[in-house]
Amino acid sequence: MPKPSLIVRKLDPENKETPIQFIESGPIDNKLFFRRNHFSYPSLSQVSYWLPVNGLVNHPKLFSLEEIRMLPSRTVKVVLECAGNKRHFLEPKVYGEQWEKGAISEGYWKGVPLRDILKLAGIKQSAREVLVEGYDSGLRTDTDKIFTFSRSLPLEKAMHPDTLIAYEYNGQPIPFKHGYPLRLIVPQWYAMASVKWIRQISVIGSGFNGPFQSVDYVYYPNKETDADAYPVTIQNVNSTIQKPLNMEILNTGKHLIKGIAWTGKGVITKVEISLDHGKNWSSVEIGEPANHGYGWTSWTYEWSVTKKGEYTIMTRAADSHNRTQPENPFWNQKGYGHNAIDKIWVKVE
Ligand SMILES: Nc1nc2c(c(=O)[nH]1)N[C@H]1C(S)=C(S)[C@@H](COP(=O)(O)O)O[C@H]1N2
Ligand SMILES: [Mo]
């Protein structure tokens, strides 16, 4: 059997999509995990790796990898989805990586809760956010300055027991391209929050406004102005049809339609399908228990088609917070958070 491979969007920095239509189920093998980088890969020596935790703490610390591995760990199944996933389908089009449907993957991340590390350092009263810096850096096109990839979390999210300083993916040390040796994992948020190659963690007393959260990863809903901007955080409820393929030609008879659904809030409660341009909707079968960690939900639908013709297959998921997928994507300047009803076209002959 020929094997699927990553789809290249850009070589340097390396940006590649998961061939999501050809994934049987999670967890995703690291070779097929999408890659999203703002800069070239950093060079860091594993021999001398230490994790500094400083800022507004009572006892600034330097952790060795050994010390981190000895602390009580947690393992969580998490969907990492790039905020730009599905950007390609936005109308009018926007600039940026033209991700189709594969800037998403899921798997098991093991690590130490960030809050345990922060507690060992002792957070001061004046703390407001936790800043996590990556080892990679470079020029941004909008300035002539060098930045590292750095982002902060509000204290509440930083202290959530499932926000991890991860060191394993699917039972193996995290592959270098995905953040070895240590990477932040922030379940339910779009994946820009999950900073790779952690260089330093600092507790800070004010809002961080580095460009990866004050310029990028901000929703700008207006075309002409930057008014009404707000930060990109939790994943929208979403679904993707994996099978059949878009524009596939099928024969009459039985076809298994399958796909995935996920959300950054609560759990998936329902996935519906329409085969008549959205006039009628029926519920599809949801695979595993819907509340399985922060993973996606696989679903299937058996389609018996006797009439030849052209069909539109549409899916929409709903979550336990009554969020559902809109008919049209929410347009914003940078094309984040696309979660319109998923749609493909097939011909039956
Ligand atoms: N240090 C660092 N962390 C990073 C990034 C980066 O460029 N540098 N990209 C972020 C974005 S936008 C995404 S979508 C995910 C991608 O993770 P992956 O390459 O492991 O799939 O990492 C996030 N963490
Ligand atoms: Mo991303």
Side-chain angles (χ1 to χ4, degrees):
M1 259 293 267
K3 290 203 171 71
S5 54
L6 288 167
I7 301 156
V8 182
R9 294 278 161 239
K10 191 188 272 175
L11 277 182
D12 190 17
E14 189 179 29
N15 287 310
K16 293 181 177 170
E17 290 197 25
T18 295
I20 196 72
Q21 285 83 1
F22 304 96
I23 295 297
E24 275 305 315
S25 62
I28 303 274
D29 186 281
N30 78 62
K31 289 189 211 70
L32 294 181
F33 202 106
F34 80 100
R35 297 173 185 167
R36 201 296 181 235
N37 296 292
H38 294 78
F39 303 119
S40 304
Y41 289 112
S43 46
L44 53 152
S45 149
Q46 28 182 301
V47 190
S48 58
Y49 187 88
W50 292 86
L51 174 66
V53 179
N54 54 38
L56 300 172
V57 294
N58 296 317
H59 320 284
K61 291 212 179 267
L62 265 185
F63 291 92
S64 70
L65 285 177
E66 273 311 296
E67 283 172 282
I68 291 201
R69 287 197 198 100
M70 304 241 289
L71 293 169
S73 69
R74 275 175 95 88
T75 302
V76 286
K77 191 182 197 189
V78 172
V79 170
L80 287 188
E81 182 191 12
C82 181
N85 193 27
K86 304 192 182 185
R87 176 182 287 130
H88 172 78
F89 303 101
L90 209 55
E91 289 292 343
K93 295 233 166 283
V94 298
Y95 292 93
E97 305 296 318
Q98 292 300 300
W99 299 111
E100 296 190 11
K101 299 180 184 180
I104 183 170
S105 290
E106 72 157 9
Y108 293 95
W109 296 92
K110 177 180 176 183
V112 179
L114 172 59
R115 76 166 178 184
D116 292 357
I117 298 274
L118 295 173
K119 279 184 180 161
L120 287 171
I123 309 176
K124 290 190 171 160
Q125 275 290 317
S126 49
R128 266 193 52 199
E129 294 192 343
V130 178
L131 175 60
V132 181
E133 239 175 275
Y135 260 101
D136 50 336
S137 64
L139 275 177
R140 280 179 57 94
T141 47
D142 56 350
T143 66
D144 51 5
K145 279 196 258 165
I146 298 226
F147 289 92
T148 56
F149 187 87
S150 304
R151 289 191 42 104
S152 70
L153 284 177
L155 215 48
E156 196 193 352
K157 190 67 180 172
M159 296 302 274
H160 190 286
D162 291 331
T163 297
L164 302 181
I165 296 178
Y167 49 82
E168 275 186 18
Y169 179 67
N170 290 346
Q172 299 291 324
I174 297 177
F176 175 70
K177 293 183 167 183
H178 298 286
Y180 179 91
L182 297 178
R183 161 183 209 163
L184 191 65
I185 288 293
V186 184
Q188 301 190 314
W189 281 39
Y190 280 109
M192 72 281 152
S194 295
V195 178
K196 303 192 273 190
W197 312 291
I198 302 175
R199 178 204 283 267
Q200 173 167 265
I201 296 175
S202 311
V203 179
I204 57 176
S206 56
F208 177 65
N209 66 355
F212 294 102
Q213 75 190 64
S214 62
V215 180
D216 298 335
Y217 304 108
V218 173
Y219 292 111
Y220 301 100
N222 302 298
K223 200 166 172 108
E224 311 295 343
T225 75
D226 289 353
D228 308 319
Y230 61 98
V232 174
T233 57
I234 61 169
Q235 295 164 4
N236 292 325
V237 62
N238 216 332
S239 62
T240 287
I241 301 162
Q242 294 171 290
K243 208 180 151 183
L245 297 174
N246 188 31
M247 306 308 280
E248 196 167 339
I249 300 168
L250 306 170
N251 51 14
T252 53
K254 274 191 180 156
H255 296 284
L256 190 73
I257 302 177
K258 65 168 241 168
I260 55 174
W262 68 98
T263 178
K265 212 170 171 184
V267 295
I268 292 293
T269 47
K270 188 168 68 175
V271 181
E272 294 172 296
I273 193 166
S274 170
L275 298 150
D276 57 4
H277 309 281
K279 270 183 238 114
N280 294 290
W281 292 86
S282 30
S283 285
V284 307
E285 193 154 322
I286 296 182
E288 54 190 70
N291 60 348
H292 193 80
Y294 306 106
W296 59 46
T297 300
S298 291
W299 52 263
T300 54
Y301 181 81
E302 218 178 279
W303 186 32
S304 290
V305 54
T306 48
K307 206 168 142 241
K308 294 179 181 178
E310 292 175 19
Y311 290 85
T312 310
I313 305 178
M314 298 159 81
T315 59
R316 65 177 184 209
D319 68 21
S320 50
H321 288 258
N322 289 322
R323 301 194 307 166
T324 185
Q325 297 183 243
E327 203 169 312
N328 297 307
F330 162 59
W331 190 93
N332 59 98
Q333 284 180 28
K334 296 199 174 220
Y336 297 130
H338 187 302
N339 77 325
I341 288 172
D342 203 45
K343 206 187 256 188
I344 62 163
W345 291 266
V346 296
K347 186 167 140 188
V348 176
E349 59 177 35

